Amino acid sequence: MTDAVLIVQEYGFFIIVLLCTGAITGFLAGLFGVGGGAISVPVLYEVFSRLGYSPDLAMPIAVGTSLALIIPISISSALGHKKRGTLDPKILRIWTIPIFLGVIIGATIAGFAEAEFFQIVFVIVASLISLRLLTGVGKSIIRETLPGRAIMSVAGLIIGLVSAIMGIGGGALSTIFLSFFNVSIHRAISISAAVGAIISIPGAFGYVLAGMSASGLPPGNLGFVSLIACVVFLPSSLTTTKFGVVIAHKLPKRKLEILFGTFLLLVSLRFIISFLG
């Protein structure tokens, strides 16, 4: 078998992997209002590593590319939920600027803070919330209505900051927060889809700028964002996002809570495995 055939087979395999990952990520974005970074980042890192990228480049390119992908995926998901009337513009108007500022602050301190600390906090909180959703035990809420603008703004700032440090889209964090204030799971997921776009835009832009001066970048890169991976990844993800939105709105509240609780447990498990590894 010639080298040319081997190269074609290897790249063909990676294209299939990216298409499948894109399909899964898009579906989750529509179903749960999350960006899917917990799935796309490790897959992209493995693909880039297998393609010969150095570890110093593979991880930032994986994260930067994931953030860039979250932008259109989250927007598509948010628009799909908006058509079904569950996207609350009032919450988004309050959260947009605080989340944006939180991402900038988080990106600034990311080089100094230990991301593992925030991941451990996420694992603890997400695990408790998932158990609450799965078992129905302790489903009390903090209050019947959302808090005032000041507290909402602080919450948005924290969501943006922690998401930037952890390298996630923030959908799970915002859904967890809203669940404490009697916001239905359908509304919370719809809002979280839009939050993913708010977080990923400055995040992706930051990775583009940060990678502009990096040496040894592969062809087709814009800073730490792989445009080639985006082109391969997006078609399947944007297609399945629509299916995820449809299913989310067809599922009864209880079933959606169980699915989201299971998703939180799986994401927490992924972080735990990364700690142990």
Side-chain angles (χ1 to χ4, degrees):
M1 192 175 294
T2 65
D3 291 342
V5 173
L6 288 173
I7 291 174
V8 170
Q9 287 182 344
E10 184 174 17
Y11 275 87
F13 172 75
F14 290 139
I15 288 173
I16 293 173
V17 169
L18 289 178
L19 286 173
C20 292
T21 306
I24 295 171
T25 302
F27 181 76
L28 291 176
L31 186 62
F32 297 134
V34 298
I39 295 173
S40 59
V41 170
V43 171
L44 288 170
Y45 175 76
E46 183 64 26
V47 168
F48 294 147
S49 297
R50 291 284 297 274
L51 289 175
Y53 296 18
S54 68
D56 292 339
L57 289 178
M59 181 52 72
I61 294 175
V63 176
T65 303
S66 178
L67 286 169
L69 290 165
I70 289 172
I71 298 172
I73 293 172
S74 296
I75 292 175
S76 175
S77 175
L79 291 176
H81 287 291
K82 182 181 179 182
K83 290 180 180 178
R84 287 160 177 80
T86 52
L87 184 61
D88 192 333
K90 294 180 182 178
I91 296 177
L92 289 180
R93 282 195 290 268
I94 296 173
W95 265 359
T96 297
I97 294 177
I99 287 178
F100 189 88
L101 292 175
V103 172
I104 294 175
I105 296 171
T108 302
I109 68 175
F112 307 98
E114 292 292 335
E116 287 78 7
F117 170 76
F118 295 91
Q119 290 173 351
I120 290 172
V121 173
F122 176 86
V123 167
I124 294 172
V125 175
S127 298
L128 291 174
I129 296 297
S130 65
L131 290 175
R132 183 174 71 104
L133 291 173
L134 291 171
T135 63
V137 175
K139 292 189 65 176
S140 59
I141 58 176
I142 295 177
R143 54 184 286 180
E144 292 291 335
T145 59
L146 287 168
R149 190 180 189 93
I151 295 178
M152 287 291 291
S153 297
V154 171
L157 184 75
I158 294 173
I159 289 171
L161 187 150
V162 175
S163 296
I165 293 175
M166 291 176 60
I168 62 175
L173 294 175
S174 55
T175 300
I176 288 172
F177 174 80
L178 293 171
S179 70
F180 285 122
F181 298 98
N182 202 30
V183 177
S184 72
I185 187 70
H186 292 91
R187 284 183 63 212
I189 285 174
S190 301
I191 295 164
S192 296
V195 166
I198 298 172
I199 290 174
S200 58
I201 290 172
F205 185 68
Y207 272 84
V208 169
L209 292 180
M212 284 299 189
S213 57
S215 58
L217 288 175
N221 263 53
L222 183 62
F224 286 135
V225 173
S226 172
L227 299 180
I228 295 175
C230 288
V231 170
V232 175
F233 198 97
L234 276 177
S236 59
S237 60
L238 291 178
T239 300
T240 55
T241 297
K242 300 174 183 177
F243 292 109
V245 171
V246 171
I247 292 176
H249 285 271
K250 285 186 176 181
L251 287 174
K253 175 185 175 183
R254 184 65 191 134
K255 287 186 178 179
L256 191 56
E257 286 178 344
I258 292 173
L259 285 174
F260 186 69
T262 303
F263 172 77
L264 288 179
L265 275 182
L266 291 175
V267 174
S268 298
L269 180 61
R270 181 246 166 180
F271 282 129
I272 292 172
I273 291 173
S274 69
F275 300 150
L276 299 177

